[in-house]
Structure formats: structure tokens, C-alpha cells
Amino acid sequence: MSLPPGPRCGAVRGTAPGGAPNSRRSATRRRLFDAAVTLIAEQGFSATTVDEIADRAGVAKGTVYYNFASKNVLYEELLRDGLDQLADSLQHAADTTAGRGGTRIDALDAMIRAGLDFIARSPALTQLYVAELWRTNRSWRATVASVRGRALTVVESVLRDAVRTGELSDELDIPLTASALLGMVLVAALDWLSFQPDRSVEEVHASLARLVQGRVGARPPQEGRCGAPGATA
């Protein structure tokens, strides 16, 4: 599994020994991210060694330490990089919808699809992120909270505009709703990929979109039917 390409290359900048350009440095870090996310998803963080990451990435062990001070730092930067890309995907979906003149509900729908597409490309990364949400004793907890907050801010902004324009009720709890929407997409996508892989992304998107648009309730009773208004005993 490989992460989708993105503009970020982590915290370390500059050039590698021998004058290698930043693009080569970025490509090396991407290979290390790809190797680490796959191995950690397969066997856990503690069981994954730097030697294994280097071997999977096809680089020398020293290259890992040149780019990252430790395995912990590599993992922290991996989470930051991936979740920043998710936030960028959500923002792009919202901006594109607004540019076409769509409503805020349309933007939420587009963001759901963008989230599903991202997770389908990066299931191992998503699995690791969801697992980290339940751990409070990690050194990278603050980083996870920060990048999670960035993704939530994108969703909250659209929700806030929807309330302002009357598309959604002003009784809406915006922070909680944003968390619920993001969590719904993450968990539903992982369940889809793990247990219902025969379904298409279009099917999953349509089901989640119906939830957001409030179309999951039963049809109102029709007059004349037994037990309905206008019916006779």
C-alpha cells in the first residue's frame, strides 16, 4: 500500500549529502513513509524495527536516521503527513463545490466522497490513525490532536456557513457534528474495505450522503391505509 503523493515532505529540510536536491530527499522520505505505514499496520509499532523499514524501502539504515531522528519521529511525521493530506483533500472538495456554485450541503457531500477516496488509497494509514485516537500515552499525541483539529476545522467551517445561510438548523452543535461526520467516514470506510470490499465507492458514498441529507427516515404514512390518518376501522 502506498500513500498518495502530496506536497509535504515532513519537518526536515535541506539537501542530502552530496548535494542531492529536495525532490530526491522528498522521494526518499516518501518511500520510508510507505514502508513504515505498511509494516506498522501489519505487525504493530513496537514490533517494527528500523532495519525492517529500511529494507522494505530499499535504503540503508543510515538513510532512515538521516531523515528522521528516531523511529518515533518517523511515525509522528508519517501521521502528520497523511492527515495533512486528508485535510487538504477535504478543503479542495469544499472549495471546488463552492466554485461551482453548490450549496454547503453539496460541499459536505463532496467532502464525504473525498474522504472515502483518500481512505481507499491509504487504508493502512487510516487504520493507524484510528488506533491512535484511543491511545493517550504516546509522545506524538499532541501531533495527532493538532492535525485532527485541522481536518475538523475544514468540516466545521462548512457547517458554520450552512447554519448561517439557513441550510442547517442553528441548534446544530457544530464541533460535535464535525467530529461525528469525520468519524462516520473513517469507520464506515474501514468497515467497507475490511468486510464489504465488493461494494463500490459509489454505493458507500450514496449511503453516507443519505444520512447527511436526512433521507433515512421511513416514508410518511399515506391516507387511507390502515392506521394512517383518514383510514377507517
Side-chain angles (χ1 to χ4, degrees), residues 3-173:
L3 291 170
R8 292 176 176 75
C9 57
V12 182
R13 302 181 185 276
T15 58
N22 281 336
S23 59
R24 187 180 305 171
R25 181 73 173 278
S26 179
T28 298
R29 290 171 66 89
R30 179 62 50 199
R31 290 204 305 273
L32 291 171
F33 283 158
D34 292 346
V37 74
T38 304
L39 286 166
I40 295 171
E42 289 174 354
Q43 58 194 32
F45 176 80
S46 298
T48 300
T49 67
V50 171
D51 290 289
E52 289 174 317
I53 294 171
D55 184 64
R56 180 71 65 92
V59 301
K61 182 176 180 179
T63 301
V64 180
Y65 287 115
Y66 178 78
N67 285 274
F68 305 99
S70 66
K71 185 178 72 169
N72 280 23
V73 172
L74 189 163
Y75 188 48
E76 181 174 351
E77 288 299 315
L78 163 66
L79 291 170
R80 184 198 306 276
D81 178 81
L83 294 176
D84 273 345
Q85 289 184 54
L86 173 59
D88 287 343
S89 296
L90 298 178
Q91 187 67 67
H92 178 72
D95 292 344
T96 300
T97 303
R100 293 198 303 261
T103 67
R104 279 72 179 182
I105 301 301
D106 292 333
L108 290 173
D109 183 73
M111 292 163 75
I112 289 173
R113 178 56 187 262
L116 291 173
D117 287 339
F118 177 85
I119 295 165
R121 294 193 304 268
S122 308
L125 172 68
T126 308
Q127 177 186 341
L128 295 181
Y129 166 66
V130 171
E132 290 303 324
L133 291 177
W134 302 103
R135 299 186 176 114
T136 60
N137 61 342
R138 301 290 206 184
S139 61
W140 49 79
R141 177 71 178 178
T143 295
V144 172
S146 175
V147 289
R148 171 184 175 273
R150 179 170 175 243
L152 286 175
T153 296
V154 176
V155 182
E156 288 176 7
S157 177
V158 174
L159 290 172
R160 194 167 288 109
D161 284 346
V163 170
R164 178 179 54 81
T165 57
E167 293 178 59
L168 293 174
S169 168
D170 59 7
E171 297 180 351
L172 190 73
D173 186 322

Side-chain angles (χ1 to χ4, degrees), residues 217-223 225 228-229:
R219 293 181 179 178
Q222 299 177 7
E223 290 192 2
R225 294 178 59 191

